[in-house]
Amino acid sequence: AQRVTQPEKLLSVFKGAPVELKCNYSYSGSPELFWYVQYSRQRLQLLLRHISRESIKGFTADLNKGETSFHLKKPFAQEEDSAMYYCALNSGNTPLVFGKGTRLSVIA
Amino acid sequence: DAGITQSPRYKITETGRQVTLMCHQTWSHSYMFWYRQDLGHGLRLIYYSAAADITDKGEVSDGYVVSRSKTENFPLTLESATRSQTSVYFCASKDTAQETQYFGPGTRLLVL
């Protein structure tokens, strides 16, 4: 069964500190992984997907098939990064499987 | 993102009443989805649809009904609302040509 695990419900960091939001997945096939972000009281929006290998708003994520992980990283956190972050897995013609989310709080 | 809308944005109802949440997308995406978002549970899939007149249950479908008579609309009905259905409901859509799901702004539902 496909599963996405985000072990931290809440992550607090100081402004300027590095950030790493963890995501592990369970899937026997070739996964496609995403990070979505939800700012306060707004809709979810795509932050990045592993296929595009982009850096969005300073965030990057590398797919590690050996560790079945897709951790989201940013070298220097900003206050505007405070939001809810969801990792998601696509396993074919089925809905995305979402993790339970991690709330990032960046403290000034 | 403006291509997918939800109405109403806020709704207060009473236990036992029927409530319908609307979702409309202008992209002609094949797939549409309904999720509920609750603290501690993240996003949970209620129903999804691969095309008009094709719907499938998700993880938490009990107490909900959907229809998809037109590609662009995917209404969600709570047949007899319960307090446990108090939540934020998100609609989403995606095209078969890409895997990115686009989300609507959400509907905050309070069942008293």
Side-chain angles (χ1 to χ4, degrees), chain B residues 39-86:
Chain B
L39 276 175
H41 293 281
L43 285 168
R44 291 183 291 176
L45 182 68
I46 304 171
Y47 266 99
Y48 68 103
S49 168
D53 297 322
I54 300 175
T55 62
D56 280 292
K57 293 181 178 181
E59 180 187 354
V60 289
S61 60
D62 286 348
Y64 301 94
V65 174
V66 292
S67 61
R68 186 106 182 265
S69 57
K70 292 184 178 181
T71 300
E72 60 267 30
N73 296 322
F74 192 38
L76 175 73
T77 297
L78 287 65
E79 295 181 293
S80 178
T82 64
R83 291 201 180 105
S84 64
Q85 291 177 311
T86 291

Side-chain angles (χ1 to χ4, degrees), chain A residues 12-78:
Chain A
S12 298
V13 300
F14 285 105
K15 179 181 173 181
V19 175
E20 182 179 66
L21 298 165
K22 290 184 167 48
C23 172
N24 288 90
Y25 66 91
S26 173
Y27 178 54
S28 57
S30 183
E32 186 175 4
L33 286 142
F34 303 80
W35 276 100
Y36 280 80
V37 61
Q38 184 183 27
Y39 300 103
S40 180
R41 291 184 170 258
Q42 294 187 24
R43 71 182 75 197
L44 277 82
Q45 50 188 289
L46 180 67
L47 181 62
L48 53 81
R49 49 192 297 192
H50 90 270
I51 283 181
S52 60
R53 300 186 67 81
E54 294 173 297
S55 172
I56 306 294
K57 299 185 179 183
F59 285 97
T60 58
D62 290 317
L63 177 61
N64 185 324
K65 291 186 178 181
E67 295 183 356
T68 60
S69 69
F70 188 56
H71 302 329
L72 183 69
K73 299 177 184 179
K74 185 170 182 176
F76 307 103
Q78 302 299 315

Side-chain angles (χ1 to χ4, degrees), chain A residues 74-106:
Chain A
K74 185 170 182 176
F76 307 103
Q78 302 299 315
E79 288 178 76
E80 55 265 30
D81 295 329
S82 294
M84 194 77 177
Y85 291 81
Y86 289 95
C87 183
L89 165 70
N90 177 47
S91 57
N93 282 329
T94 54
L96 290 179
V97 176
F98 284 88
K100 295 193 178 205
T102 298
R103 182 168 297 283
L104 175 64
S105 177
V106 180

